[in-house]
Amino acid sequence: MPSYDKSRLLHERACRVLAGGVSSEFRKFNAPHPLFYTHGQGARLTDADGNEFLDFTLSQGPLVLGHSHPEVLEAVAAASRAGQLFAGQHLAELELAELLQRLIPCAELLRFSLSGSEADHAALRLARAVTGRPRFLRFEGHYHGWFDNVSVGVSGGLAELGPREQPTPVRWSAGLPDHIENESLVLPWNDLALVEQLLATRGNEIAAVITEPIMCNNGCVPPEPGFLQGLRDLCTRHGCVLIFDEVITGFRTALGGAQQLFGVTPDLAVFGKAFASGYPISVLAGRREFMRLIAEGKVIHAGTMNSGNPATVAALTTLRILEREQIPSVLREKGEHLREGLADAGRRVGRPLLLQGPGPMFHAGFTPLARVRDYRETLSYDKPLYARFVTGMQERGIRLIGRGLWYVSAAHTSADLDLAIATAHDVLKSL
Ligand SMILES: Cc1ncc(COP(=O)(O)O)c(C=O)c1O
């Protein structure tokens, strides 16, 4: 059993100054308590007690090249020395935008922000302005950040969710404005007939349909064949803006995101996480005729810290490496190997795991279902059992995200993946 004594003391100290001892809701859930980390290198992370972990969280996704990639660090150090923020333009920002425009199918014009939440917020504001319509359609269990307008429809148990055909918009947080349920209409994912029905009756109120192209945040559920194209066609028919939230799928499933992988081009798309190796930058990309409203200042998008020099250079350097080394296909191969090894380990010890997702990221969990298609079906996952699995893995030096998502980086070697599979085999056997 590893000792977490130093982390425990630091966490107790942190609880006296930080709300809940952390700076993000998602960092609270770690047994026996949140750990403090001192450094990360490649696929490994070390905590304050000196425990080393093989890391499959990638800091919730951004570290697609692994921790502390030397080429990125050098570029960022040089950029930091040259200046941090100019309240003005710089060449790296222009070069990054040109590179993204070349890679992403829908990217005719772009704007940078700091986080995925901000860029999603800008996308929805822009969609309302483009259409003059007040509401948007979102899908149960998809995550589009923590801002007010998307903090409805992301959570909830079966009893709260109500009928599939007319779900109750469940609030994720206290403190949301009164009118918030009127902003978003919610439907289960992967059911085109329901979307068709809703747009036929209320299409003229709906500015946008926003979706993760793979439901990464709950079960890593792939779209049913034809579902994304169906959304594309329905949005075109009813004059709604189609938004792909590619904060997880972007640069990981393909350089041009899931829109390239599935061959379906949205009107607007949001990217974050994987393109800057952990430095804060996100991007809203979209059709010129829509983004024009931002260009003309009719739709306001701003931010003091946007496109800072070090983060921009981190993104530019990361993307050049991703392209040069064809990292999405590397991740796919590694991820498939890991996913199949874990499935096999589960079968061998009589603890079958359902594994879903394309490889660069996938979800693992215990469910009696052979396949999970939407958020309601993800509620069949045995979460307490998976929490025990995660704790057992951590005790043996493998760090996982508690809710079942696994991220694979370019820094994971075949030996790392085989170690994870062998460790999972032992932990599954012990459950
Ligand atoms: C699909 C998706 N959209 C948006 C966000 C929000 O991004 P951020 O945490 O950078 O605000 C996330 C974060 O996990 C995400 O997974």
Side-chain angles (χ1 to χ4, degrees):
M1 267 290 273
S3 157
Y4 303 125
D5 287 349
K6 287 190 180 148
S7 267
R8 182 174 49 76
L9 292 174
L10 289 167
H11 177 61
E12 285 167 10
R13 191 171 140 199
C15 284
R16 294 196 282 273
V17 283
L18 290 168
V22 295
S23 292
S24 165
E25 181 64 15
F26 298 109
R27 295 184 192 163
K28 286 201 308 218
F29 310 105
N30 194 93
H33 46 75
L35 301 186
F36 278 68
Y37 296 93
T38 53
H39 55 283
Q41 187 65 56
R44 284 175 170 72
L45 197 55
T46 304
D47 75 4
D49 290 275
N51 302 308
E52 191 181 80
F53 301 98
L54 184 55
D55 183 22
F56 290 98
T57 74
L58 305 191
S59 210
Q60 300 282 357
L63 300 171
V64 72
L65 298 176
H67 295 266
S68 311
H69 192 283
E71 198 175 326
V72 177
L73 292 192
E74 264 171 46
V76 168
S80 302
R81 279 194 298 274
Q84 300 74 51
L85 266 179
F86 306 121
Q89 301 315 113
H90 57 104
L91 183 61
E93 179 184 11
L94 172 59
E95 289 181 346
L96 178 61
E98 286 171 346
L99 179 53
L100 291 167
Q101 192 188 49
R102 174 165 66 73
L103 293 177
I104 300 170
C106 80
E108 291 175 3
L109 284 178
L110 306 103
R111 268 288 175 103
F112 294 111
S113 295
L114 293 186
S115 67
S117 300
E118 279 176 273
D120 274 321
H121 189 68
L124 290 169
R125 178 183 285 187
L126 179 57
R128 285 194 199 91
V130 163
T131 58
R133 299 173 182 173
R135 291 179 242 294
F136 63 91
L137 168 61
R138 58 155 304 148
F139 296 101
E140 286 173 349
H142 286 231
Y143 182 63
H144 304 298
W146 65 278
F147 288 6
D148 284 355
N149 54 4
V150 285
S151 289
V152 168
V154 66
S155 61
L158 276 182
E160 295 160 279
L161 291 170
R164 270 184 75 78
E165 296 69 28
Q166 211 173 358
T168 307
V170 177
R171 289 177 169 230
W172 184 38
S173 172
L176 299 176
D178 278 351
H179 61 269
I180 202 77
E181 287 85 354
N182 296 333
E183 269 191 31
S184 59
L185 301 163
V186 186
L187 282 179
W189 201 50
N190 258 336
D191 191 335
L192 203 57
L194 289 181
V195 180
E196 195 162 6
Q197 256 170 39
L198 183 71
L199 291 190
T201 51
R202 300 187 67 180
N204 60 358
E205 300 167 35
I206 298 176
V209 175
I210 184 167
T211 184
E212 293 182 66
I214 297 172
M215 188 169 72
C216 303
N217 278 289
N218 267 302
C220 214
V221 179
E224 291 290 295
F227 179 71
L228 294 177
Q229 185 58 49
L231 289 184
R232 174 65 282 173
D233 296 343
L234 285 170
C235 282
T236 305
R237 191 183 320 153
H238 292 279
C240 308
V241 176
L242 179 62
I243 305 172
F244 278 3
D245 182 338
E246 299 239 35
V247 168
I248 291 183
T249 50
F251 315 109
R252 208 185 303 273
T253 52
L255 281 176
Q259 54 193 274
Q260 183 184 15
L261 184 73
F262 295 115
V264 176
T265 307
D267 299 304
L268 300 176
V270 170
F271 294 81
K273 297 209 194 242
F275 80 118
S277 294
Y279 290 86
I281 187 164
S282 63
V283 66
L284 169 65
R287 281 168 64 171
R288 189 175 299 276
E289 59 179 300
F290 295 173
M291 296 292 287
R292 188 178 51 82
L293 294 189
I294 294 181
E296 291 168 357
K298 292 188 175 131
V299 169
I300 297 300
H301 163 264
T304 302
M305 310 293 274
N306 289 354
S307 63
N309 200 25
T312 307
V313 168
L316 195 53
T317 312
T318 303
L319 274 179
R320 285 176 177 155
I321 299 171
L322 292 181
E323 191 171 30
R324 184 181 75 210
E325 299 178 14
Q326 292 299 301
I327 297 294
S329 3
V330 173
L331 297 182
R332 175 172 293 269
E333 237 172 73
K334 288 180 197 257
E336 282 172 0
H337 173 75
L338 179 58
R339 203 183 52 197
E340 279 157 27
L342 292 171
D344 183 53
R347 275 193 298 270
R348 276 188 285 137
V349 301
R351 266 287 178 210
L353 274 168
L354 178 66
L355 291 126
Q356 295 197 150
M361 72 287 181
F362 58 81
H363 180 274
F366 304 103
T367 169
L369 300 180
R371 193 161 74 98
V372 163
R373 289 183 58 225
D374 62 21
Y375 173 68
R376 290 171 188 239
E377 291 184 352
T378 67
L379 297 174
S380 69
Y381 280 118
D382 186 337
K383 289 186 179 139
L385 183 60
Y386 194 78
R388 282 170 49 210
F389 173 68
V390 171
T391 303
M393 293 291 275
Q394 179 178 293
E395 284 166 1
R396 290 165 179 81
I398 312 262
R399 184 175 185 233
L400 302 178
I401 294 175
R403 65 183 204 280
L405 197 58
W406 289 57
Y407 284 108
V408 180
S409 79
H412 286 105
T413 62
S414 305
D416 291 336
L417 304 181
D418 290 339
L419 175 65
I421 293 166
T423 310
H425 174 273
D426 293 350
V427 175
L428 288 167
K429 208 158 101 182
S430 73
L431 288 178

